[in-house]
Amino acid sequence: MSTEGSAVDTLTIEEAAAELERLAKEIAHHDALYHGKDRPEISDADYDALKRRNDTLEARFPELIREDSPSRRVGAAPSVTFSPVVHARPMLSLDNTFSQEDVQDFVASVYRFLGRLPDQSIAFTAEPKIDGLSMSIRYENGRLVTAATRGDGTTGENVTANIRTIAEIPNQLPKGVPAVVEVRGEVYMAKSDFLALNRQMEAEGKQTYVNPRNTAAGSLRQLDAKVTASRKLKFFAYAWGEMSEMPEDTQFGMVQTFKEWGFPVNPLMKRLNSVADILAHYDEIGLERPDLDYDIDGVVYKVDSLELQQRLGFRSRSPRWATAHKFPAEQAFTEVEKIEIQVGRTGALTPVARLKPITVGGVVVTNATLHNEDYIKGIGNSGERIRPEEHDIREGDTVIVQRAGDVIPQILDVVMEKRLAEAKPYEFPKTCPVCGSHAVREVNEKTGKMDSVRRCTGGFICRAQATEHLKHFVSRNAFDIEGLGSKQIDFFFENEDPSLQIRTAPEIFTLEKRQQSSLTKLENIDGFGKVSVGKLYTAINERRSIALHRFIYALGIRHVGETTAKLLARSYGTYEAFATAMKEAAPLSGEAWTDLNAIEGIGEVVARAMVEFYKEPRNIEVIGRLLEEVTPAEAEQLVTSGSPVAGKTVVFTGSLEKFTRDEAKARAESLGAKVAGSVSKKTDFVVAGPGAGSKLDKARELGVQTMDEDEWLALIGG
Ligand code: IVH
């Protein structure tokens, strides 16, 4: 529902928030056109009217002022035109740990993975986790050549000109450094500089900034490097990307080297030998935290030996050799104004608490997820009590809200003394609030337990499910179609004109053609315009060929996230092979079903969900139409060049003596092999240690090549 144009004083807080969001996006869009491309779509007067409306709304609802508000922007518009940089080595994130037990588990998992005994001590480093922006800075022959943001981990933005303005970062490294050096670390703004900047903004009658991190981010994303230069950004080096030569063989040694090369490194980094010492250092850093001139949100532990780091390797997004021990989240009190239900892509009814806006840890919080109806009652996912029975969450309750990092705010508890006499327990709807279909809690076939999530049974007839499906389809990790956001999907979905309607994914790709023969032109419709329509078609057409894993992920099969989609793409290679296998697996037995379940990382729940998906005629029909428009590419093999086991399927069985099972698996995968849990005709090698039994027999029966650990090592080159 649009509130555009309605008088500011009649808007509710939710409407105002939505309107401010819309204005921020719209003004940013016009700024980009104006500054970046010299091709404005609206008159100056219309642009000023948008800005004025934003200002009036902010004056009435100061608590709703957004971090990306147009009124906060200084200098050139934040640009969308930084060029992409593909990182030579991906920039990964860290796993989080929250308690002493988590840290003990982490350390134990390192010992277990490496097959070490507790008395074969492994050293760890412990250092503050800086709350800034990670940056990769590349030097060739000692000269700074590129600096890139993390981006999605694979591709970042080229912010070299801005990074050069940071005095602490050397432009030239000393003589004798390796030919290629990529130093990684955190760019941040000191608390004192942040406060000074805000004092200056206040004195000039301008809006102040929310926190140092966001200000640092905004300062870096300036097209005009002069603005960045005026912001006094700082840097800590703590990691590296590509290095043509390694100067040291420990984490600690590497960071000391960076220091010698002229980079600032954090003085609180220590090398320690036991969990007790690590935890003591965490406490120490926690005590110093208020006095540090930079924000930190935890302590990072890393295995010190680079050889061990290499053996430990990576999971899909994070290294096994490091973890971030987060400080406890910040909390605040506020009121639940309303409980609303959102219907998701899979029909899940998710309750959301609309809160009286409150600042928690420097950010305004207005919503908190309530997960499901049990959670509202104080019952956790395994049926356990998470709050006393009478602490159910009701509209009007005063609650404790917690926000940890980028996680969605949570309601921890209800303040019973403040409960209103008339407050009633929340009655969870039994029908879908969008389409009216029954909403049910399914019983899990395997466990016999009732699912905690209530789902709308409307399927495709439910507008919420259908539009969420489309939004997932165009989202960043799926088809990533720029210009088709949530608002546009809603518009096309609701449209009754056949030349403008999009109800299923294939229709995205027929839009341009349908428009050619239509009199109702998209470009004449408010909010589109000739330029943006042209761009939209380009963005759509660019996706007519697409990576297989993105295609599979975009289908929105339940339980199939990005990681699973990648596994499937790697295992089956082509879409045809994948789809055929899913159809053949329908009886939940036979070769196709066995192969599917043998893929490491695919469990039975996921396997069943895929088979179910391919049993639904409507899905087959939609995919059929989609394939007339779009071609999924063949999946690429991983790091394979020169690897003798690339693309091969390996099964490990029996006890291994040279490395642990996890390590063997990780190593094989890093060489491009697939590791399966059971032997079938598709298996290429079975590596059998002492005590191997039925799997070895099966391999012999099927004529699959078998070998012992040493032969395997010889094959992969040690
Ligand atoms: S190590 C492969 N060390 O935290 C892991 N990261 O959640 C490389 N961060 O993206 C990261 N302080 O931006 C590392 N001392 C520190 C850090 C740190 C802050 C950030 C970094 C990273 C994120 C991971």
Side-chain angles (χ1 to χ4, degrees):
M1 219 179 335
S2 171
T3 47
E4 217 169 308
S6 32
V8 168
D9 18 321
T10 64
L11 296 185
T12 66
I13 193 154
E14 286 88 7
E15 288 167 342
E19 173 92 7
L20 282 168
E21 183 182 351
R22 184 185 68 77
L23 283 165
K25 281 203 192 115
E26 192 167 339
I27 294 173
H29 168 74
H30 294 304
D31 278 345
L33 288 176
Y34 186 84
H35 293 285
K37 310 189 181 86
D38 288 330
R39 231 189 284 162
E41 279 171 3
I42 57 172
S43 69
D44 286 358
D46 286 347
Y47 178 83
D48 289 342
L50 288 175
K51 290 269 267 199
R52 264 200 313 279
R53 184 159 175 85
N54 189 74
D55 292 346
T56 322
L57 269 163
E58 288 186 345
R60 185 160 129 71
F61 298 99
E63 71 277 26
L64 293 184
I65 297 174
R66 301 168 57 85
E67 279 170 25
D68 63 352
S69 164
S71 64
R72 289 184 175 235
R73 229 167 281 142
V74 188
S79 150
V80 280
T81 54
F82 286 107
S83 59
V85 176
V86 177
H87 298 301
R89 301 269 151 80
M91 289 182 82
L92 296 151
S93 54
L94 293 168
D95 249 19
N96 291 327
T97 36
F98 297 96
S99 64
Q100 300 202 343
E101 290 75 52
D102 286 354
V103 175
Q104 274 151 357
D105 287 351
F106 160 72
V107 172
S109 73
V110 168
Y111 276 83
R112 209 179 321 116
F113 189 95
L114 296 169
R116 290 239 188 165
L117 300 169
D119 61 349
Q120 298 172 304
S121 160
I122 297 174
F124 287 84
T125 59
E127 70 203 67
K129 182 167 190 297
I130 317 296
D131 197 7
L133 298 127
S134 45
M135 191 63 54
S136 186
I137 310 170
R138 186 178 173 95
Y139 294 81
E140 287 173 9
N141 302 318
R143 284 211 67 78
L144 192 163
V145 288
T146 4
T149 62
R150 177 166 183 272
D152 64 3
T154 310
T155 311
E157 286 181 314
N158 187 333
V159 289
T160 314
N162 295 348
I163 288 299
R164 283 191 206 275
T165 70
I166 301 179
E168 290 195 339
I169 297 179
N171 262 314
Q172 172 78 50
L173 300 184
K175 279 217 174 66
V177 301
V180 176
V181 167
E182 273 182 22
V183 174
R184 292 180 175 176
E186 207 83 352
V187 170
Y188 66 95
M189 181 178 262
K191 290 190 209 165
S192 54
D193 290 331
F194 170 76
L195 293 174
L197 176 65
N198 263 355
R199 273 197 299 273
Q200 184 198 332
M201 297 301 280
E202 229 165 58
E204 292 171 10
K206 294 188 189 143
Q207 272 297 330
T208 51
Y209 294 93
V210 175
N211 61 35
R213 202 197 102 88
N214 288 303
T215 316
S219 308
L220 264 185
R221 302 194 82 261
Q222 295 288 336
L223 266 190
D224 181 356
K226 279 201 230 76
V227 180
T228 317
S230 71
R231 291 290 170 76
K232 297 210 184 97
L233 296 178
K234 296 192 156 176
F235 184 71
F236 278 127
Y238 54 68
W240 57 93
E242 185 180 350
M243 299 286 283
S244 56
E245 227 177 288
M246 290 297 282
E248 290 284 333
D249 58 7
T250 61
Q251 181 74 35
F252 201 83
M254 284 298 286
V255 172
Q256 292 316 305
T257 304
F258 292 155
K259 186 174 175 185
E260 283 157 26
W261 289 351
F263 293 92
V265 302
N266 194 282
L268 298 172
M269 178 178 188
K270 272 193 179 173
R271 174 156 48 191
L272 302 158
N273 282 307
S274 70
V275 181
D277 289 351
I278 285 175
L279 291 172
H281 195 44
Y282 170 87
D283 289 341
E284 227 166 88
I285 292 179
L287 284 178
E288 285 202 38
R289 185 181 183 194
D291 301 324
L292 297 175
D293 196 20
Y294 43 88
D295 281 332
I296 63 174
D297 56 355
V299 177
V300 182
Y301 309 135
K302 301 172 188 167
V303 168
D304 189 43
S305 151
L306 301 188
E307 189 209 325
L308 296 186
Q309 284 191 5
Q310 196 171 8
R311 281 181 57 193
L312 285 154
F314 300 88
R315 291 180 221 93
S316 63
R317 272 179 283 266
S318 57
R320 283 195 196 86
W321 43 264
T323 190
H325 187 182
K326 301 299 273 293
F327 291 127
E330 299 184 64
Q331 301 178 354
F333 293 98
T334 190
E335 273 167 47
V336 176
E337 293 184 327
K338 224 163 49 182
I339 296 178
E340 283 177 1
I341 303 285
Q342 289 173 345
V343 183
R345 174 164 62 86
T346 57
L349 266 49
T350 307
V352 181
R354 304 291 175 204
L355 305 171
K356 194 161 159 199
I358 175 91
T359 308
V360 193
V363 170
V364 180
V365 171
T366 48
N367 300 306
T369 173
L370 296 174
H371 303 287
N372 53 57
E373 57 191 291
D374 283 351
Y375 186 88
I376 296 181
K377 291 185 190 142
I379 301 169
N381 274 342
S382 325
E384 78 284 11
R385 274 246 149 252
I386 49 174
R387 275 175 272 118
E389 195 173 340
E390 62 279 15
H391 290 211
D392 60 311
I393 297 165
R394 305 182 181 187
E395 291 183 344
D397 273 349
T398 295
V399 292
I400 306 172
V401 179
Q402 169 174 298
R403 189 183 145 267
D406 293 335
V407 183
I408 314 167
Q410 302 266 354
I411 290 185
L412 288 188
D413 206 354
V414 177
V415 183
M416 294 308 287
E417 299 74 42
K418 295 217 166 175
R419 173 163 285 171
L420 307 172
E422 67 272 21
K424 292 207 179 54
Y426 179 71
E427 191 139 347
F428 204 90
K430 306 285 184 293
T431 54
C432 171
V434 175
C435 71
S437 303
H438 285 293
V440 298
R441 293 177 67 165
E442 289 162 13
V443 174
N444 185 315
E445 274 176 47
K446 271 174 85 183
T447 59
K449 273 206 230 142
M450 194 159 58
D451 194 357
S452 50
V453 175
R454 191 174 282 278
R455 285 177 204 279
C456 160
T457 54
F460 297 107
I461 70 140
C462 178
R463 187 170 37 94
Q465 287 191 52
T467 51
E468 289 304 317
H469 222 90
L470 284 170
K471 288 172 195 173
H472 169 79
F473 186 89
V474 299
S475 65
R476 185 153 131 162
N477 296 326
F479 268 69
D480 190 21
I481 301 181
E482 211 174 307
L484 258 190
S486 187
K487 204 170 103 182
Q488 290 80 11
I489 292 282
D490 288 335
F491 165 82
F492 287 118
F493 191 90
E494 300 296 343
N495 211 297
E496 292 301 335
D497 186 315
S499 79
L500 280 171
Q501 196 177 62
I502 297 177
R503 293 258 160 109
T504 60
E507 287 141 34
I508 295 171
F509 295 93
T510 56
L511 177 69
E512 185 175 3
K513 217 175 179 178
R514 285 181 285 140
Q515 271 287 293
Q516 279 163 3
S517 51
S518 164
L519 295 176
T520 338
K521 291 287 185 209
L522 186 54
E523 62 190 61
N524 299 330
I525 291 170
D526 241 17
F528 285 94
K530 204 175 167 102
V531 180
S532 53
V533 171
K535 275 201 193 153
L536 176 62
Y537 292 153
T538 310
I540 293 173
N541 290 329
E542 276 172 0
R543 295 292 180 270
R544 286 186 187 270
S545 76
I546 185 130
L548 178 57
H549 68 89
R550 281 178 178 267
F551 185 88
I552 295 175
Y553 173 69
L555 297 178
I557 306 170
R558 208 152 137 200
H559 305 300
V560 178
E562 234 195 314
T563 308
T564 307
K566 283 186 180 158
L567 281 177
L568 292 167
R570 263 185 75 198
S571 298
Y572 291 98
T574 63
Y575 180 72
E576 292 68 34
F578 167 66
T580 311
M582 293 311 109
K583 288 172 203 161
E584 286 176 3
L588 304 186
S589 64
E591 200 182 318
W593 174 250
T594 312
D595 286 345
L596 174 58
N597 281 277
I599 302 172
E600 281 280 326
I602 305 245
E604 192 171 334
V605 176
V606 186
R608 272 174 189 266
M610 291 192 289
V611 168
E612 284 303 316
F613 182 88
Y614 277 90
K615 276 207 277 196
E616 170 69 47
R618 151 112 189 181
N619 291 335
I620 307 293
E621 184 266 321
V622 174
I623 295 175
R625 280 193 285 127
L626 183 60
L627 288 171
E628 286 170 20
E629 306 292 334
V630 170
T631 315
E634 243 176 71
E636 280 170 36
Q637 293 294 348
L638 279 188
V639 221
T640 47
S641 54
S643 160
V645 297
K648 304 282 187 204
T649 302
V650 189
V651 173
F652 292 99
T653 180
S655 54
L656 302 178
E657 289 167 341
K658 300 269 163 57
F659 29 53
T660 63
R661 186 69 69 88
D662 282 344
E663 190 178 359
K665 176 173 172 241
R667 185 76 189 282
E669 284 176 348
S670 73
L671 292 166
K674 295 170 220 162
V675 178
S678 58
V679 179
S680 77
K681 271 195 270 176
K682 300 230 169 92
T683 312
D684 294 291
F685 309 114
V686 171
V687 181
S694 62
K695 290 186 192 173
L696 187 56
D697 297 342
K698 177 113 191 246
R700 293 200 174 119
E701 196 182 300
L702 294 171
V704 171
Q705 188 180 348
T706 63
M707 57 182 83
D708 65 19
E709 219 174 337
D710 287 326
E711 288 168 320
W712 166 254
L713 277 174
L715 175 65
I716 62 173

